[in-house]
Amino acid sequence: MTRRELDAAGITDPALRAAYTHCRRLNARHGKTYFLAARLLPVERRPAVHALYGFARWADDIVDDLGSGLGPAERDRALASLERKLTAGLRDGGGEEPVVMALADTARTHAIPHGLFTDFMAAMRDDLHITRYPRYADLRRYMHGSAAVIGLQMLPVLGTVVPREEAAPHAAALGVAFQLTNFLRDVGEDLDRGRVYLPEDLLAAHGVDRELLHWSRDSGRRDPRIRSALVAAAEFTRGVYREAEPGIAMLRARVRPCIRTAFTLYGEILDAIAADGYRVLHRRAAVPRRRRAAVAAAGAAAIAAARFRRTPDREPPAGAVPTCAAVALTASEQAVMGGGAGWRR
């Protein structure tokens, strides 16, 4: 975390400054696309975004890090320990763990409903025990906690120019779109972890099962049935991006270029997967560094143009903020995926 960012955010306590700096390092190390987009945010909003990402990254590493050597029981205990620290930190406003300290401060400063973090931790626990999703409806329930709530956590930090409940379904959809993109990009790596996030009904519709995926992963050979299933998953994911996109205009003008950059770069991961022939079982597709830089430059130009126009940001009244339960219902179960639409949209 740079001194300028911390000063702009009004973070003066030395321990808190160190905690936010730690979260920024996690973001820079692990979230290249996300970190690049976050640099386009107004300087005073970046620490909170890094805190939210840092916590999510920490929990995800407990669940997914193949190099840690932890067994299932040890991961379960580590996740339970993190959840206890989170609960205490949110209740008491701090703690000794830097990531929890920064997260608790962000939640308090921006009035982020604590239930969003509870739902996230529930999804992380599912990842320790659930390795398959028979239907898209099953995956959608998981993604409420693992992805939709991330978008909902971000809304109070970014700010909106409409009542927050109007923007919430689109923010949740964007979190889901990003995660679906990750699922598609990381099919091979997830298979190594013993998980398949692509629903079995999608795979079966194209003649694919887990055994065929393992055969392709292990042999390095391709199969047209797998490619057909991946193409269908990519097209569905593009539909979720379309559901999310109207929400960008509902954000404060100063933050729109950041979210537009993330929206564009994550969407282009799907293009990179297609350009590589959907070989995600054998290697990870990525947006070229030069292209990432070009998109970021366009975002910076948009920021400069917005400043020149001095576009006003009008926040909705405080009473317009919905309850956590209402947001979760509308975003995750209704609006995000069109009220139960399956993979065959």
Side-chain angles (χ1 to χ4, degrees):
M1 192 67 56
T2 67
R3 181 179 300 176
R4 175 169 168 260
E5 291 169 344
L6 293 167
D7 290 345
I11 300 167
T12 58
D13 179 81
L16 264 181
R17 289 171 75 92
Y20 276 105
T21 300
H22 177 69
C23 291
R24 186 181 191 273
R25 292 195 191 105
L26 287 174
N27 195 350
R29 185 183 311 130
H30 296 290
K32 294 179 181 178
T33 296
Y34 197 74
F35 183 72
L36 182 63
R39 292 182 66 181
L40 299 176
L41 281 172
V43 64
E44 73 277 5
R45 295 179 188 262
R46 295 175 200 168
V49 171
H50 291 315
L52 292 173
Y53 179 88
F55 179 80
R57 180 75 258 175
W58 186 18
D60 193 59
D61 280 349
I62 290 174
V63 172
D64 280 343
D65 187 2
L66 292 174
S68 69
L70 296 178
E74 293 168 304
R75 292 178 192 272
D76 211 347
R77 286 193 293 271
L79 202 61
S81 174
L82 173 58
E83 189 160 18
R84 287 192 297 271
K85 292 175 182 177
L86 170 67
T87 300
L90 292 173
R91 182 189 63 237
D92 303 331
E96 297 181 357
E97 182 60 51
V99 176
V100 173
M101 187 185 303
L103 182 77
D105 183 67
T106 291
R108 178 188 58 80
T109 300
H110 297 280
I112 300 174
H114 292 182
L116 296 177
F117 301 108
T118 301
D119 290 349
F120 173 77
M121 292 304 299
M124 294 301 97
R125 288 196 302 273
D126 284 347
D127 260 338
L128 292 177
H129 308 290
I130 298 175
T131 62
R132 53 184 284 269
Y133 294 89
R135 302 175 309 279
Y136 181 71
D138 303 309
L139 181 63
R140 186 177 67 188
R141 283 190 289 272
Y142 163 75
M143 287 193 298
H144 164 66
S146 64
V149 299
I150 303 299
L152 298 174
Q153 290 168 16
M154 287 282 289
L155 267 189
V157 175
L158 299 177
T160 61
V161 295
V162 299
R164 198 176 299 166
E165 67 266 23
E166 185 177 342
H170 302 289
L174 188 59
V176 169
F178 287 170
Q179 186 163 66
L180 287 171
T181 302
N182 287 341
F183 288 162
L184 193 59
R185 181 194 62 192
D186 300 338
V187 170
E189 294 176 20
D190 288 331
L191 196 62
D192 292 342
R193 298 182 179 104
R195 300 194 203 107
V196 176
Y197 287 104
L198 297 181
E200 291 172 350
D201 61 352
L202 164 73
L203 297 174
H206 298 271
V208 179
D209 57 18
R210 186 179 287 234
E211 183 178 356
L212 184 61
L213 294 176
H214 275 292
W215 169 83
S216 179
R217 177 72 168 170
D218 296 341
S219 69
R221 297 173 65 182
R222 304 170 68 184
D223 187 286
R225 292 169 294 179
I226 294 175
R227 186 184 189 282
S228 178
L230 296 175
V231 169
E235 286 306 307
F236 179 86
T237 302
R238 291 185 192 278
V240 182
Y241 277 101
R242 288 191 292 272
E243 293 177 16
E245 187 170 17
I248 298 176
M250 299 177 186
L251 300 172
R252 295 183 63 180
R254 292 177 63 209
V255 307
R256 290 173 202 159
C258 164
I259 304 306
R260 174 64 66 181
T261 296
F263 179 93
T264 300
L265 288 176
Y266 255 91
E268 289 190 5
I269 292 174
L270 297 177
D271 297 334
I273 291 170
D276 196 39
Y278 293 90
R279 299 190 64 177
V280 290
L281 277 165
H282 311 125
R283 58 195 183 204
R284 171 183 279 211
V287 178
R289 183 178 300 176
R290 182 175 298 179
R291 174 59 183 165
R292 293 202 304 267
V295 174
I303 291 171
R307 286 174 179 165
F308 179 78
R309 292 192 300 269
R310 296 183 180 179
T311 304
D313 283 321
R314 297 184 181 89
E315 297 277 8
V321 179
T323 65
C324 174
V327 168
L329 177 62
T330 58
S332 177
E333 296 302 325
Q334 297 176 17
V336 174
M337 297 301 167
W343 285 85
R344 303 174 188 86
R345 299 172 65 92

